[in-house]
Amino acid sequence: MADILASLRSLMASQSPPLDALLVLSEDYHQSEYVSARDKRREFVSGFTGSAGLALITKNEARLWTDGRYFLQATQQLSDQWKLMRIGEDPPLDVWISDNLQKEAAIGIDPWCVSVDTAQRWERAFAKKNQKLVQTSTNLVDEIWKNRPPAEINPAVDHPLEFAGRSVAEKLKALREKLSSEKARGIIITALDEVAWLYNIRGSDVSYSPVVHAFAIVTLNSAFLYVDKRKVSSKVSSSLQANGIEVREYGAVSSDAAMLASNQLDQATGVNFGQNGVCQNDTCDNDLIWVDPASCCYALFSKLDANKVLLQQSPLALAKALKNPVELDGLKNAHIRDGAAVVQYLVWLDKQMQEIYGASGYFLEGEVTSKKIPETMKLTEVSVSDKLEGFRASKEHFRGLSFPTISSVGPNAAIIHYSPQAKTCAELDPNSIYLFDSGAQYLDGTTDITRTVHFGKPSALEKACYTSVLKGHIALGNARFPNGTNGYSLDILARIPLWRYGLDYRHGTGHGIGSYLNVHEGPHQISFRPQARNVPLQVSMTVTDEPGYYEDGNFGIRLENVLVIKEADTEFNFGDKGYLSFEHITWAPYQIKLIDLSILTPEEIQWLNRYHSKCREILAPYLDKNEMEWLKKATEPMKG
């Protein structure tokens, strides 16, 4: 690590102007949350493997900013050459730079790896002391990364209409109507899931996310896909061409953005104006280029005339979040198969914990009968999560996991985004809580579920915390709220039962989920973060419900279901707003042994019994006799 920092500092000094600081971001050229191995530059320089974080390297310091999900993980992974900066507790990066670096300091950044709004925010902050954000011509980390993984050539594939539910032609027509209404003549689309969704293509360029490294430009009259052409088969090429989409090399997006800015892109393609019925002649007053400031990189924005840019959230973000009926059916079916896999896993794990470790098991509270276990029989966080993947892999339409499985025992469960590694992971312990947060990619939907279990005798504290998390989970899932309500307003519902005891958690409560796309999908969310105010929750959106509680060094608890937003059947309709509610589409039991029934209300017990009854009914066709017997026992009605 010392060599990496020394090499970077040497490169910083050789730049013109010499750099006083270098920013290394987590994102790729598309501002993705999860990136391919060759784009993990921040991980390479810092050793911190979390998905969110920002590294700052100065002439004599190295600091890493990350959020509350990763505080514990970062303290474990950062060497003593690095200082952890806790977002929400320590000064933000731009404030720290403005306060601590000298006047006129030059701060280097790869403009391809930073979004427009982040770059502009930093520029405003740095201007107070005439500090400058300097766009480097190459990424300095790439220059010193000797064993950087090569770019993979993975094929792009068509996503059939039977799963997509809407044709490319329909999506392009709706997009062009939106462009026209906003006086825009073109849009640069940079978010990988938006490109995949718009053109009904999928790929495997990023682990866990079925996307292709690609950009898109759509004008009122033409459409382009910028991708390594080696990834595009003749079949995919034909279907793209049939929808009027021209395939160009990935790197051509830079020059084409400049041509778009000077209004030469359509002319260069020989496109006839008006062919799409949106703009009937070339005297249109549509003169803006639409760019999403949160996902478009600064490099492409810099090719445009800033006075003629519409900086606004991509119209595809909301269109993609509002699932069509085919997508909703697919998601529900995928979650049923996924729930069956989770139950099969729990049945298997329960048996293993009893047979190998002498645990009392999923149902009984008892002391563990200690056994001497041969090394070959021991269960680890990784070996059991591989087994869970095996159960999922046996299901129809399975295409892989939707994120690295969080399989965590005892103290590791307190690390919110824990990622077990085969060489260092913990062995399962019947005396400790076990938390698993996992999901899969199926052709008809993406899944994400968390359950927390104990195979021994949970403590009173563990039960009280589990039950408080469960109460918040039920409260949010049962919410009814008027149209126009955002996720910021609902976040409190999941926390109130924890707040009563002076407890809380440092992550948001819910995120959207893709339709065989990214497991984390915006633009809406349920969170205490200000951006959760930006988009109201709407019918046919998906959102997770996942409160938790984490006690560092001891245990962690999280419960997560995926919900679909639907119209609520309310007795009244105050203000004629219309009311909304949630429908659970995740099916797996909550462990009754971990519930302190004295803390639950009769209504909460009634809800659990109803939910458990549905689990039995819905999962029955997918389970064998033994698994079904286990599920019946796991979902026996509770009496309050």
Side-chain angles (χ1 to χ4, degrees), residues 45-252:
V45 301
S46 69
F48 167 63
T49 61
S51 67
L54 172 59
L56 172 72
I57 298 153
T58 68
K59 291 172 181 176
N60 47 28
E61 280 194 271
R63 292 175 179 251
L64 180 118
W65 276 258
T66 192
D67 63 53
R69 294 171 297 169
Y70 294 113
F71 291 169
L72 198 53
Q73 183 178 332
T75 55
Q76 293 173 355
Q77 292 183 330
L78 292 174
S79 73
D80 55 12
Q81 291 180 291
W82 286 84
K83 178 170 172 53
L84 173 62
M85 302 294 284
R86 292 171 166 83
I87 293 175
E89 296 178 13
D90 292 319
L93 174 122
D94 48 0
V95 172
W96 190 90
I97 287 178
S98 183
D99 289 348
N100 290 278
L101 294 187
Q102 73 272 27
K103 284 185 178 178
E104 299 181 359
I107 298 111
I109 186 79
D110 179 348
W112 286 93
C113 294
V114 64
S115 67
V116 177
D117 61 3
T118 299
Q120 290 184 336
R121 188 176 75 248
W122 287 344
E123 284 181 331
R124 287 192 296 272
F126 301 162
K128 294 169 194 163
K129 285 171 65 175
N130 285 332
Q131 296 165 332
K132 292 272 189 300
L133 192 64
V134 176
Q135 300 185 32
T136 58
S137 56
T138 60
N139 192 298
L140 302 194
V141 175
D142 295 353
E143 294 190 36
I144 65 157
W145 193 352
K146 297 291 181 264
N147 299 316
R148 188 180 175 214
E152 295 180 42
I153 309 302
N154 299 311
V157 295
D158 284 319
H159 189 49
L161 196 58
E162 65 177 292
F163 299 121
R166 283 181 78 196
S167 68
V168 177
E170 282 179 88
K171 291 176 181 180
L172 281 171
K173 182 172 185 289
L175 174 59
R176 287 184 170 119
E177 285 169 358
K178 192 77 179 158
L179 290 179
S180 203
S181 70
E182 294 287 346
K183 299 284 186 276
R185 57 184 172 81
I187 182 170
I188 301 176
I189 302 157
T190 54
L192 297 180
D193 61 335
E194 292 185 6
V195 175
W197 179 85
L198 177 66
Y199 289 162
N200 282 352
I201 55 171
R202 298 293 188 269
S204 55
D205 284 349
V206 178
S207 297
Y208 311 106
S209 303
V211 293
V212 186
H213 278 137
F215 295 97
I217 292 179
V218 176
T219 72
L220 295 174
N221 308 286
S222 53
F224 305 90
L225 175 69
Y226 299 88
V227 62
D228 186 324
K229 286 187 176 179
R230 291 173 294 178
K231 298 176 182 178
V232 182
S233 66
S234 55
K235 178 177 178 290
V236 172
S237 183
S238 297
S239 60
L240 290 167
Q241 285 172 0
N243 284 295
I245 300 158
E246 185 178 331
V247 179
R248 297 196 170 188
E249 284 294 348
Y250 183 77

Side-chain angles (χ1 to χ4, degrees), residues 230-412:
R230 291 173 294 178
K231 298 176 182 178
V232 182
S233 66
S234 55
K235 178 177 178 290
V236 172
S237 183
S238 297
S239 60
L240 290 167
Q241 285 172 0
N243 284 295
I245 300 158
E246 185 178 331
V247 179
R248 297 196 170 188
E249 284 294 348
Y250 183 77
V253 69
S254 190
S255 55
D256 276 13
M259 288 182 72
L260 179 67
S262 59
N263 211 358
Q264 294 175 296
L265 190 59
D266 276 345
Q267 283 91 322
T269 62
V271 167
N272 293 319
F273 273 84
Q275 72 175 51
N276 290 296
V278 175
C279 187
Q280 298 302 328
N281 57 62
D282 56 6
T283 60
C284 273
D285 60 356
N286 298 53
D287 201 28
L288 299 173
I289 307 302
W290 193 327
V291 158
D292 187 329
S295 63
C296 181
C297 58
Y298 207 42
L300 288 176
F301 173 75
S302 301
K303 303 281 180 188
L304 308 175
D305 176 350
N307 296 318
K308 292 187 175 181
V309 173
L310 175 64
L311 278 176
Q312 196 167 286
Q313 184 177 74
S314 164
L316 300 182
L318 184 59
K320 175 166 55 63
L322 298 171
K323 303 293 184 270
N324 65 55
V326 170
E327 289 174 320
L328 284 176
D329 283 347
L331 277 160
K332 289 174 183 178
N333 291 332
H335 279 82
I336 291 169
R337 298 192 304 276
D338 201 66
V342 168
V343 169
Q344 289 169 328
Y345 173 59
L346 285 169
V347 173
W348 172 84
L349 190 54
D350 185 19
K351 187 167 184 260
Q352 298 296 307
M353 292 302 288
Q354 290 180 62
E355 290 181 356
I356 297 173
Y357 292 94
S360 52
Y362 187 89
F363 301 108
L364 301 175
E365 290 186 54
E367 301 302 330
V368 175
T369 317
S370 59
K371 292 182 171 186
K372 185 147 179 64
I373 304 157
E375 203 62 39
T376 52
M377 287 180 68
K378 287 180 178 176
L379 300 178
T380 69
E381 292 165 330
V382 168
S383 70
V384 296
S385 72
D386 288 346
K387 189 73 180 177
L388 172 56
E389 183 175 355
F391 285 117
R392 285 193 161 108
S394 69
K395 302 291 179 272
E396 188 183 16
H397 299 322
F398 177 80
R399 286 296 179 273
L401 300 182
S402 56
F403 58 97
T405 298
I406 299 169
S407 172
S408 53
V409 175
N412 290 340

